[in-house]
């Protein structure tokens, strides 16, 4: 290369190009901000109902009336997507009976920017609403190849040894990876997931909740727990540590199950949870987003009840919303 060419290259690389960059930065601050924001990791809520969904099978009462009549009132079973736009990857928490709709919705709403299947699926426990969606990955449906499913030890034994789940493992539709309580799993440079045990009716598996870090934001996901008082952690402190807390909101109060003993299906009622947080600031209360709502929970169908909850400073998780 001639000395002259070198000089020209120097001018372009060191002087003209940087000036051009600075000018474009100044000229398009809004566009760049949008671009930057769109690379921020987030959590998307893919459903907010209890295991049986909303409306619930066999329910002809007023709670499910509107949802049977108008499908826009239907709600999928509680589940969240953890999304990292920087690496174009996402992870799913819980495989619900509505997984077919939920994966389709995620693909559509993110305009195909992510692979159809999540990088991995994290399961909380072996109750109907949290793992039975795995069947959609089997031979009769999607026939996936080695989709990674992160599970606790008992949950893993259950899936490996009980049909029909064992077939998914044998045919390598799914591959089970273990979760270890309180050990942080690094999903990407910006995403960390940490499971913790919670007390629940553990017939077939243990139950976990998740602490999630996605970029600058921290989340708590506890869709199912028997009672806050039975937990070895303090829910007040746990909520204070995060930006968003998706908490078990199965029942609004004790009067909801007229024909069944509520003690057989223990949950902290929303009234109990609100009582615990009554002296907390509004900044703490507004972190709480109730999820996993039973069809009997008036928050699913009563505008008045929703207004009361918002007035008290709390929120309901919204299906399809980014947090
Ligand atoms: Zn559940
Ligand atoms: Zn109902
Ligand atoms: Zn459960």
């Amino acid at each position: 290369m001639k000395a002259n060419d070198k000089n020209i290259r120097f001018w372009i690389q060191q002087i003209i190009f940087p000036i051009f960059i600075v000018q474009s930065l100044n000229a398009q601050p809004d566009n760049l901000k949008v671009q930057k924001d769109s690379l921020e990791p987030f959590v998307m809520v893919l459903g907010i109902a209890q295991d049986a969904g909303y409306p619930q099978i066999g329910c002809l009462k007023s709670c499910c009336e509107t949802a049977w009549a108008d499908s826009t009132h239907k709600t999928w079973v509680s589940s969240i997507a953890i999304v990292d736009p920087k690496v174009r990857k996402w992870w799913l928490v819980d495989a619900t009976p509505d997984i077919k709709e939920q994966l389709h919705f995620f693909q559509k709403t993110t305009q195909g920017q992510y692979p159809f299947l999540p990088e991995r699926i994290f399961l909380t426990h072996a109750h109907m609403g949290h793992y039975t969606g795995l069947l959609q990955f089997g031979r009769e449906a999607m026939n996936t190849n080695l989709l990674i499913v992160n599970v606790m030890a008992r949950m893993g034994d259950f899936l490996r040894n009980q049909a029909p789940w064992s077939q998914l493992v044998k045919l390598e539709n799914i591959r089970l990876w273990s979760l270890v309580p309180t050990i942080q799993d690094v999903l990407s440079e910006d995403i960390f997931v940490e499971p913790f045990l919670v007390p629940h009716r553990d017939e077939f598996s243990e139950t976990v909740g998740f602490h999630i870090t996605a970029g600058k934001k921290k989340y708590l996901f506890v869709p199912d727990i028997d009672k806050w008082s039975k937990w070895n952690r303090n829910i007040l402190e746990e909520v204070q540590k995060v930006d968003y807390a998706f908490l078990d909101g199965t029942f609004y109060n004790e009067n909801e199950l007229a024909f069944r003993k509520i003690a057989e299906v223990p949950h902290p009622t929303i009234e109990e949870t609100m009582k615990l947080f009554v002296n907390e600031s509004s900044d703490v209360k507004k972190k709480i987003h109730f999820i996993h709502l039973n069809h009997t929970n008036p928050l699913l169908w009563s505008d008045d009840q929703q207004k009361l909850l918002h007035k008290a400073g709390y929120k309901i998780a919204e299906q399809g919303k980014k947090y």
Side-chain angles (χ1 to χ4, degrees):
M1 193 186 285
K2 286 185 212 158
N4 208 16
D5 288 351
K6 266 189 193 167
N7 274 342
I8 290 167
R9 181 166 289 190
F10 173 83
W11 272 93
I12 290 174
Q13 281 181 346
Q14 305 296 323
I15 313 288
I16 299 172
F17 193 61
I19 288 172
F20 172 74
I21 294 270
V22 167
Q23 275 182 346
S24 4
L25 282 171
N26 289 336
Q28 300 174 314
D30 286 349
N31 289 352
L32 281 173
K33 192 176 173 295
V34 170
Q35 266 178 21
K36 210 173 145 240
D37 284 351
S38 64
L39 289 180
E40 279 294 312
F42 60 91
V43 159
M44 185 187 284
V45 170
L46 297 179
I48 67 157
Q50 176 266 4
D51 298 46
Y54 177 67
Q56 183 166 318
I57 183 168
C59 185
L60 300 175
K61 295 199 205 101
S62 58
C63 49
C64 292
E65 213 172 29
T66 331
W68 287 125
D70 177 357
S71 63
T72 59
H73 288 269
K74 285 185 179 175
T75 302
W76 297 323
V77 178
S78 74
S79 167
I80 56 172
I82 308 166
V83 188
D84 188 346
K86 234 195 255 175
V87 291
R88 293 262 178 257
K89 286 179 181 173
W90 71 290
W91 298 264
L92 180 69
V93 183
D94 277 342
T96 85
D98 294 319
I99 199 165
K100 179 168 88 172
E101 263 75 35
Q102 288 167 321
L103 262 55
H104 182 75
F105 170 82
F106 180 78
Q107 179 74 3
K108 225 173 78 178
T109 200
T110 56
Q111 289 135 4
Q113 292 177 76
Y114 299 90
F116 181 80
L117 288 171
E119 279 295 294
R120 301 197 227 162
I121 299 177
F122 291 82
L123 297 183
T124 55
H125 66 302
H127 279 162
M128 176 191 156
H130 304 267
Y131 77 106
T132 57
L134 290 180
L135 285 178
Q136 294 285 351
F137 301 118
R139 204 174 241 174
E140 303 92 326
M142 220 185 152
N143 197 28
T144 53
N145 182 36
L146 296 172
L147 176 60
I148 295 160
V149 181
N150 270 93
V151 288
M152 294 289 298
R154 250 186 93 199
M155 179 88 213
D157 285 344
F158 172 75
L159 294 174
R160 253 185 299 269
N161 300 315
Q162 303 291 328
W165 324 105
S166 51
Q167 181 170 283
L168 298 171
V169 181
K170 250 177 247 146
L171 296 180
E172 299 194 318
N173 297 125
I174 61 171
R175 168 165 285 176
L176 301 176
W177 279 11
S178 20
L179 283 174
V180 184
T182 76
I183 299 294
Q184 206 172 53
D185 205 332
V186 180
L187 307 191
S188 75
E189 205 176 274
D190 292 319
I191 313 257
F192 309 92
V193 169
E194 186 183 319
F196 48 80
L197 286 163
V198 295
H200 191 42
R201 297 172 288 111
D202 293 342
E203 297 95 336
F204 304 119
S205 75
E206 57 288 86
T207 301
V208 290
F210 291 100
H211 190 269
I212 299 152
T213 304
K216 296 184 198 103
K217 292 173 283 183
K218 288 184 171 25
Y219 307 80
L220 191 64
F221 183 65
V222 188
D224 258 306
I225 187 167
D226 283 358
K227 289 287 171 196
W228 299 122
S229 57
K230 287 197 203 165
W231 196 19
N232 60 5
R233 296 188 185 196
N234 180 330
I235 184 61
L236 290 164
E237 288 169 13
E238 295 303 315
V239 169
Q240 276 160 3
K241 281 190 236 165
V242 299
D243 301 290
Y244 300 96
F246 297 106
L247 302 186
D248 183 337
T250 312
F251 301 118
Y252 199 88
N253 64 33
E254 295 274 343
N255 312 324
E256 265 167 62
L257 287 191
F259 302 103
R260 278 176 70 180
K261 284 187 197 145
I262 208 160
E264 283 173 5
V265 280
H267 290 274
T269 66
I270 287 184
E271 282 183 355
E272 282 168 21
T273 305
M274 292 201 295
K275 220 171 173 184
L276 279 177
F277 282 86
V278 74
N279 294 322
E280 295 298 311
S281 69
S282 57
D283 280 345
V284 172
K285 286 178 186 164
K286 74 176 185 203
K287 295 178 179 186
I288 298 179
H289 292 66
F290 290 106
I291 200 164
H292 195 272
L293 311 184
N294 196 53
H295 68 120
T296 53
N297 190 327
L299 289 180
L300 280 172
W301 39 269
S302 159
D303 290 348
D304 290 347
Q305 200 72 49
Q306 289 170 6
K307 273 180 207 151
L308 278 175
L309 184 93
H310 292 145
K311 218 173 146 199
Y314 304 90
K315 297 195 165 122
I316 310 165
E318 271 178 59
Q319 184 173 299
K321 187 172 169 174
K322 286 182 187 180
Y323 291 90

